[in-house]
Amino acid sequence: MNDLRLILWGMSLLAAMTTLAVVGFHMSFVTVNYVLLVGVCLFHGFYGLHTMLTEYFAGPRAGIVTGTGCIVAGLVLFGLTVATTLSQ
Amino acid sequence: MPDSVDIRAAEGTNVPAGAGLIAWLCGGRKGLEGYLYLTHRITGIILLLFVIAHVLLSSSQLLGMEAWARLMEMATSPVVEYFRYPLLLAFGFHAFNGIRLILVELGLAVGRPKQQVYPYRGSIGRQRPLVIAMMILTAALLLVGEYDVLRLAH
């Protein structure tokens, strides 16, 4: 369970860093900072939401569901941001 | 000596363990810090919803400029624009209260540890100036920000 969580966090971090590198190669300093800022906002927001949800819905199963849901939602929104930025 | 001790009751928070939504809302805190805790959570959810809306609105460009223009027309309507004011309030409060929480977590502005003598006193009184300073900074940001929002709106 903890391994799965660790792998998911690691993959999301790796994906975020890779996409930032790709965006940074193609885009300007301001654009990279925008993507970075949105990524930080999404991470902070979904991490807080994850904390609140796991406080209310106790149990290991709820922890996996909320954790995975928050990571997937954050990655999808971050991916949309990167795709939009690269399409400019 | 009972087999299990209710930690929350032992801390004197009057919130029983497993109290569900009530415990979730106030986190066992009382008084001003309890309200700050609740408001921090609510403003956090509001700001997350704003970020999600911002990302979805921006990414509508992927569907074509017509779709983006249609959504932008909705987003710049007077009704939606009105939500800038409470959004700025939520942002200011969340930011400055977050800084206060970091300072408290780092052990700053909470007073020096000392041996407890009955009647026991917490460090809430020591933290109160920080709360007041945070509120003043939030109010100052609001004054500057609302002026800017009003100036941009007209």
Side-chain angles (χ1 to χ4, degrees), chain B residues 92-106:
Chain B
F93 175 84
H94 196 82
F96 285 115
N97 194 48
I99 292 170
R100 181 186 71 87
L101 289 174
I102 291 170
L103 291 176
V104 170
E105 195 171 324
L106 290 173

Side-chain angles (χ1 to χ4, degrees), chain B residues 89-132:
Chain B
L89 174 67
F91 169 76
F93 175 84
H94 196 82
F96 285 115
N97 194 48
I99 292 170
R100 181 186 71 87
L101 289 174
I102 291 170
L103 291 176
V104 170
E105 195 171 324
L106 290 173
L108 301 169
V110 293
R112 288 178 178 278
K114 61 181 180 183
Q115 190 172 2
Q116 289 287 301
V117 180
Y118 188 82
Y120 305 126
R121 295 179 63 189
S123 68
I124 289 294
R126 295 290 187 111
Q127 296 178 33
R128 199 48 55 86
L130 194 59
V131 174
I132 294 167

Side-chain angles (χ1 to χ4, degrees), chain A residues 37-53:
Chain A
L37 191 65
V38 172
V40 168
C41 286
L42 286 171
F43 175 80
H44 183 69
F46 278 108
Y47 194 76
L49 184 69
H50 171 256
T51 305
M52 285 188 263
L53 290 175

Side-chain angles (χ1 to χ4, degrees), chain B:
Chain B
M1 185 76 182
D3 291 338
S4 62
V5 178
D6 190 337
I7 295 170
R8 288 173 189 269
E11 288 174 346
T13 56
N14 295 328
V15 178
L21 192 61
I22 295 170
W24 186 89
L25 286 174
C26 67
R29 291 161 180 81
K30 289 190 289 188
L32 184 59
E33 275 69 24
Y35 290 117
L36 292 176
Y37 179 87
L38 175 60
T39 315
H40 195 77
R41 294 201 148 188
I42 292 171
T43 51
I45 292 170
I46 291 170
L47 291 172
L48 178 62
L49 289 175
F50 168 73
V51 173
I52 292 171
H54 170 76
V55 169
L56 292 178
L57 182 67
S58 303
S59 60
S60 65
Q61 292 177 40
L62 295 171
L63 301 172
M65 291 312 283
E66 290 83 13
W68 179 74
R70 205 163 48 242
L71 279 173
M72 277 304 289
E73 199 177 331
M74 279 172 57
T76 52
S77 67
V79 178
V80 179
E81 292 238 339
Y82 178 77
F83 283 99
R84 282 182 184 180
Y85 310 117
L87 192 67
L88 186 66
L89 174 67
F91 169 76
F93 175 84
H94 196 82
F96 285 115
N97 194 48
I99 292 170
R100 181 186 71 87
L101 289 174
I102 291 170
L103 291 176
V104 170
E105 195 171 324
L106 290 173
L108 301 169
V110 293
R112 288 178 178 278
K114 61 181 180 183
Q115 190 172 2
Q116 289 287 301
V117 180
Y118 188 82
Y120 305 126
R121 295 179 63 189
S123 68
I124 289 294
R126 295 290 187 111
Q127 296 178 33
R128 199 48 55 86
L130 194 59
V131 174
I132 294 167
M134 180 269 295
M135 286 181 175
I136 290 170
L137 283 171
T138 306
L141 179 82
L142 272 181
L143 283 175
V144 176
E146 297 296 356
Y147 171 74
D148 203 38
V149 168
L150 285 171
R151 190 170 57 83
L152 285 174
H154 297 289

